[in-house]
Amino acid sequence: MADSGNSFSPARRRFLADTARTVGGVTLLGMGVGLFARQAQSLPAYALRPPGALTGGDFLAACIRCGLCVRDCPFDTLRLATPGEGVATGSPYFVAREVPCEMCDDIPCVKACPTGALDHALTDINEARMGLAVLVDQENCLNYLGLRCDVCYRVCPLIEKAITLEAQHNPRTGKHALFIPVVHSDACTGCGKCERACVLEEAAIKVFPLELAKGELGHHYRLGWEEKRKAGGSLVTPDEEHRYNLPEGVRYEHEGRGLIEEGEEGDTPFPANPLETLNRRRDNP
Amino acid sequence: MSSEFKIPGREAARELGWFRAHRWLLARRVTQLSVLLLFLLGPWYGLWIVKGNLSSSLTLEVLPLTDPFVLLQTLFAGHVAEMTAITGALIVVAFYLLVGGRVFCAWVCPVNLVTDGAAWLRYRLKIKGSPRFSRSTRYWLLVMVMAVALATGSVAWELLNPVSVLHRGIIFGMGMGWLLILGIFLYDLLVAKHGWCGHLCPQGAFYALIGKLSWLRVSAARREKCDDCMDCFLVCPEPQVIKPALKGAPRGIGPVIAMSECTNCGRCIDVCTKDVFQFTIYRPLQAKHRTSKQMEVTP
């Protein structure tokens, strides 16, 4: 008994050395796996997660890579990443330019997920945020060039909500309008139909993961007009009304119309039709 | 041929017939391939009996099955899964509590086909020499897998786990995953005998832990008939489990193979000409109780 308590017994030494070697090797391997996992957490910009995917690192904590979402997708949109692909091995994703999400009303992929990596709280597909469409190439977008392509706008499942066309002056021709597709992040689900449909060789509008696509206002910023609306009135002392020293028969309206000659037709200095002004000047010199 | 390289089971095949000497091996291969085929019927022929893969699946749209080892990683990574996955994992645990934890390894896991192939070839190519490292390394690796999940907040091991990479790969597309599987094959063939499944695989270690309480076991029921031909030791992927049961009679150890690293592959039953081994039902908790009573009685 006395001998077995001896801390220098060869058997004990060998046991300790073997254990230390095993633990050392396993720890080293563990750190390697950990580093690899950290790298694998980053997602390439072209890869979009299915609807309802938990955000940040939470998705890769919850997804067991079973592929049931892939199987229940009626449009074969989703696929599982294979090793060496740049997306975390076995995790589901889709590439909008190849097959976009068709935004099924019953969201079968979310229902199929056994772990909740696709959040079962998502029941309205319009609330999904798979990414955000961004019109990345304003130089080649046909609408920016002054053409009426409008394809991204037309295919958008949330037309007039997620993508609107904003008319702007076309400075190149001087007389036409540009219909600029504008994406609204409060409605865009990131389904990718716009990117899929873009007629260019390489899409001018692309869906990016939200954290890439969106800016963020400084948290100390307050938008004056929002604050005013919330407070129900101006939060600062209103300006005193400015008094102008104007000749008789002339007054000045600060908000828009400017100098007004009294008694003038329609109370505007210049009618909408410039020809009328020209004719008037000629008639009454 | 030196006795060290005698082919285990050859004698049994000669004495009892080829089929009798390979029946459990055949049953096992049929099971392994059937499980794989069930998963492949969907993607290949559109017959969706089973959807998903071994990590989680849905059979006939009602029965969820989830790998408890993978689910435990998600828990360590900080995610509490939906009930579907938890139910699936409980069903799987209950099943392996009945039939033996490492029945997964020998009868279901697709990597077994790879490492059995490597072991078969290694033996026939007479490749000797293997680094001596403890078979309990796998339990350390199991701890490591859970620790990394905890530290990174992701199911990190599933990026590399050859079991999931192979099974998922066969069903959903392999990509560069073949390299990993080739690596396992070459490691088992050239570096370490039974290196992966027998020493390292943390998933096997997890199932061995379940197996500590499982019922179906191999027993050296007629161990007194053993003629020391060594075929069972040569053919067994975990030969250390046989010795206490087969040779432990003088020390009062029962004939049931109690060590949970046993995969219930049944190859020892196949190759034994003396018909020493058989499957048996064993209740680990009661058995331990009985053993301790015996200990009290023996001086």
Side-chain angles (χ1 to χ4, degrees):
Chain A
M1 270 317 274
D3 201 45
S4 68
N6 185 351
S7 58
F8 295 105
S9 76
R12 190 186 159 102
R13 273 191 170 193
R14 195 165 50 242
F15 171 76
L16 287 176
D18 283 355
T19 309
R21 205 176 44 164
T22 308
V23 172
V26 168
T27 309
L28 196 64
L29 183 68
M31 292 198 299
V33 174
L35 282 176
F36 182 56
R38 270 291 159 85
Q39 278 188 339
Q41 275 176 345
S42 62
L43 193 64
Y46 63 81
L48 301 172
R49 292 294 187 201
L54 300 179
T55 50
D58 292 350
F59 181 72
L60 290 179
C63 172
I64 53 174
R65 296 101 201 268
C66 63
L68 285 172
C69 54
V70 175
R71 290 299 180 226
D72 279 10
C73 174
F75 299 95
D76 288 338
T77 300
L78 297 172
R79 62 169 92 150
L80 293 186
T82 58
E85 208 176 303
V87 180
T89 300
S91 63
Y93 74 101
F94 69 99
V95 178
R97 186 66 164 166
E98 290 166 14
V99 192
C101 173
E102 296 286 339
M103 288 175 61
C104 313
D105 279 334
D106 53 346
I107 333 181
C109 52
V110 171
K111 281 188 186 157
C113 179
T115 64
L118 306 181
D119 193 351
H120 290 206
L122 180 76
T123 49
D124 177 4
I125 189 64
N126 292 337
E127 299 297 321
R129 291 294 177 269
M130 295 167 268
L132 179 61
V134 184
L135 208 159
V136 279
D137 192 351
Q138 305 187 350
E139 290 172 329
N140 286 311
C141 169
L142 296 182
N143 273 38
Y144 264 92
L145 293 175
L147 285 81
R148 289 302 302 273
C149 163
D150 298 0
V151 166
C152 55
Y153 167 77
R154 293 286 165 206
V155 299
C156 180
L158 294 167
I159 183 169
E160 274 303 310
K161 290 193 197 103
I163 302 185
T164 55
L165 293 178
E166 306 292 332
Q168 279 181 17
H169 176 60
N170 183 343
R172 181 172 58 81
T173 63
K175 55 188 172 186
H176 298 100
L178 301 176
F179 289 87
I180 303 299
V182 177
V183 180
H184 302 276
S185 67
D186 57 344
C188 174
T189 64
C191 73
K193 295 199 88 168
C194 52
E195 180 177 342
R196 175 75 186 95
C198 179
V199 300
L200 303 190
E201 288 290 310
E202 180 72 37
I205 190 165
K206 288 178 176 162
V207 178
F208 287 142
L210 276 171
E211 60 274 18
L212 277 186
K214 266 188 84 83
E216 192 173 353
L217 214 54
H219 294 290
H220 61 290
Y221 274 51
R222 296 289 177 271
L223 302 175
W225 55 94
E226 295 278 337
E227 298 299 319
K228 189 174 169 182
R229 188 180 50 77
K230 266 189 255 168
S234 182
L235 292 163
V236 291
T237 323
D239 289 337
E240 256 179 65
E241 200 181 331
H242 191 82
R243 275 192 256 164
Y244 301 94
N245 291 316
L246 297 169
E248 269 185 46
V250 177
R251 59 189 177 83
Y252 189 85
E253 194 197 304
H254 186 70
E255 287 172 344
R257 298 195 327 186
L259 210 55
I260 298 162
E261 284 180 59
E262 305 249 318
E264 202 180 87
E265 197 185 326
D267 269 6
T268 49
F270 304 108
N273 185 351
L275 284 175
E276 281 181 26
T277 313
L278 289 172
N279 293 338
R280 187 175 63 198
R281 288 282 150 84
R282 205 169 44 206
D283 296 345
N284 324 313
Chain B
M1 190 183 281
S2 70
S3 67
E4 195 188 343
F5 276 112
K6 73 169 188 155
I7 303 291
R10 191 155 282 179
E11 215 178 319
R14 204 164 37 233
E15 283 189 26
L16 308 165
W18 188 91
F19 180 78
R20 163 63 180 75
H22 293 88
R23 56 191 168 147
W24 287 109
L25 180 66
L26 280 175
R28 209 152 58 81
R29 295 286 177 251
V30 167
T31 310
Q32 286 169 326
L33 295 174
S34 305
V35 169
L36 212 50
L37 188 68
L38 270 177
F39 278 97
L40 285 169
L41 280 179
W44 282 2
Y45 304 110
L47 276 171
W48 295 105
I49 298 168
V50 183
K51 284 193 291 195
N53 59 37
L54 283 180
S55 298
S56 196
S57 63
L58 188 63
T59 304
L60 296 169
E61 298 292 328
V62 285
L63 175 69
L65 295 174
T66 302
D67 191 309
F69 169 71
V70 184
L71 195 67
L72 191 64
Q73 289 178 63
T74 68
L75 192 65
F76 273 93
H79 177 77
V80 179
E82 295 278 337
M83 272 319 288
T84 317
I86 295 172
T87 312
L90 289 177
I91 295 171
V92 170
V93 169
F95 175 73
Y96 287 116
L97 276 176
L98 286 179
V99 300
R102 292 201 69 202
V103 159
F104 172 80
C105 302
W107 293 75
V108 177
C109 179
V111 176
N112 178 271
L113 291 162
V114 177
T115 56
D116 269 6
W120 185 88
L121 198 60
R122 183 186 175 88
Y123 197 80
R124 273 146 190 86
L125 294 178
K126 302 182 182 177
I127 297 170
K128 282 188 189 177
S130 183
R132 292 174 66 90
F133 61 107
S134 169
R135 281 184 180 263
S136 63
T137 308
R138 52 187 142 190
Y139 296 104
W140 290 102
L141 279 169
L142 177 59
V143 172
M144 180 276 281
V145 164
M146 298 307 161
V148 172
L150 189 67
T152 62
S154 73
V155 287
W157 181 245
E158 293 307 300
L159 297 169
L160 296 165
N161 185 358
V163 178
S164 3
V165 165
L166 180 59
H167 194 259
R168 190 197 310 120
I170 291 170
I171 296 163
F172 288 91
M174 205 66 200
M176 307 272 273
W178 288 117
L179 287 177
L180 187 68
I181 304 309
L182 182 68
I184 298 281
F185 180 79
L186 292 178
Y187 177 73
D188 265 28
L189 178 68
L190 303 172
V191 183
K193 188 179 172 190
H194 298 302
W196 180 255
C197 301
H199 292 75
L200 296 176
C201 178
Q203 191 156 356
F206 177 86
Y207 279 100
L209 291 181
I210 293 181
K212 287 204 180 299
L213 295 174
S214 59
W215 286 15
L216 186 66
R217 307 269 175 157
V218 174
S219 168
R222 289 166 290 279
R223 55 186 169 180
E224 68 285 352
K225 292 207 288 182
C226 172
D227 64 353
D228 297 327
C229 75
M230 297 298 282
D231 270 10
C232 56
F233 285 98
L234 288 174
V235 85
C236 180
E238 304 274 353
Q240 79 281 7
V241 307
I242 296 180
K243 199 180 169 190
L246 187 61
K247 298 293 166 194
R251 281 178 290 146
I253 300 172
V256 173
I257 293 180
M259 287 170 78
S260 62
E261 285 83 11
C262 172
T263 66
N264 279 4
C265 71
R267 278 300 275 153
C268 52
I269 309 177
D270 278 349
V271 300
C272 183
T273 52
K274 302 297 170 202
D275 202 21
V276 167
F277 298 96
Q278 67 177 51
F279 276 112
T280 186
I281 301 294
Y282 170 79
R283 297 200 176 81
L285 296 175
Q286 292 176 17
K288 264 174 201 165
H289 193 57
R290 213 178 298 139
T291 323
S292 62
K293 264 187 185 166
Q294 274 180 354
M295 298 276 274
E296 278 176 279
V297 175
T298 45

